[in-house]
């Protein structure tokens, strides 16, 4: 049996909010119109237990700008990671988001996308539900969880 990382074991020892899918949208401070389009358009579909995060690096250009500072103070869906900025360091942002999701939430799936992608989150969740039913057998945890 594999040994779990200590932070993973500690994370599962507490009761956490449940989400079907945690969406991590990689972004940069200058892309406020992209984030607003996601928030107002397809970011929080009704009837689904999803968590939407916009993941930024604190080293991104514009991080200390007045507009982004104000947005961070008003929103709880901005996840700030201590990673280097830029395309070559995407894995740092994704790793940060996965680590925080495991620490904070009980979830079934994690989905990474970018702020310039257009998604129909409701349809995506339906398709992911169907795929999970096709490729996995229900575990006792799934049969007892009320959704």
């Amino acid at each position: 049996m594999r040994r779990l990382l200590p932070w993973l074991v500690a994370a599962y020892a507490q009761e956490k909010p449940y989400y079907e899918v945690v969406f991590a949208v990689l972004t940069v401070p200058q892309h406020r119109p992209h984030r607003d389009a996601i928030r107002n358009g397809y970011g929080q579909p009704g009837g689904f237990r999803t968590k939407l995060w916009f993941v930024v690096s604190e080293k991104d250009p514009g991080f200390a700008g007045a507009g982004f500072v104000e947005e961070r103070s008003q929103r709880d869906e901005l996840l700030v990671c201590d990673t280097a900025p830029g395309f070559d360091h995407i894995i740092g942002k994704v790793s940060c988001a996965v680590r925080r999701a495991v620490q904070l939430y009980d979830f079934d799936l994690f989905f990474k996308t970018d702020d310039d992608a257009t998604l129909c989150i409701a349809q995506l969740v339906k398709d992911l539900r169907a795929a999970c039913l096709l490729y996995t057998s229900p575990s006792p945890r799934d049969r007892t969880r009320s959704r």
Side-chain angles (χ1 to χ4, degrees):
M1 180 177 214
R2 285 190 239 161
R3 290 185 177 179
L4 294 176
L5 298 172
W7 60 268
L8 185 59
V9 172
Y12 276 102
Q14 55 188 315
E15 187 66 29
K16 299 179 277 189
Y18 168 74
Y19 295 101
E20 287 180 88
V21 185
V22 174
F23 288 92
V25 181
L26 303 190
T27 188
V28 293
Q30 299 86 346
H31 287 185
R32 174 81 186 251
H34 295 193
R35 291 188 299 277
D36 286 342
I38 293 168
R39 286 179 185 120
N40 299 327
Y42 59 85
Q44 295 295 328
F48 298 97
R49 302 273 325 225
T50 62
K51 178 65 178 172
L52 177 67
W53 268 340
F54 294 100
V55 184
V56 297
S57 167
E58 66 183 13
K59 297 176 177 124
D60 279 331
F63 183 79
F68 192 65
V69 169
E70 179 185 353
E71 182 183 3
R72 283 195 337 260
S73 69
Q74 297 173 351
R75 302 283 187 169
D76 69 345
E77 82 267 304
L78 287 165
L79 176 62
V80 178
C81 296
D82 182 19
T83 61
F87 184 77
D88 294 339
H89 304 284
I90 288 174
I91 192 67
K93 282 185 178 179
V94 175
S95 297
C96 171
V98 169
R99 185 171 33 257
R100 291 292 292 158
V102 168
Q103 290 171 349
L104 297 175
Y105 307 119
D106 180 17
F107 59 96
D108 293 329
L109 300 164
F110 184 90
F111 192 91
K112 175 265 179 206
T113 188
D114 296 313
D115 64 0
D116 59 352
T118 301
L119 297 174
C120 179
I121 291 180
Q123 186 61 47
L124 184 62
V125 173
K126 287 179 189 177
D127 292 344
L128 290 170
R129 282 178 178 170
C132 286
L133 291 175
L134 281 174
Y135 296 109
T136 62
S137 61
S139 69
R141 177 179 147 193
D142 293 335
R143 288 191 291 266
T144 59
R145 177 182 287 147
S146 62
R147 297 191 185 207

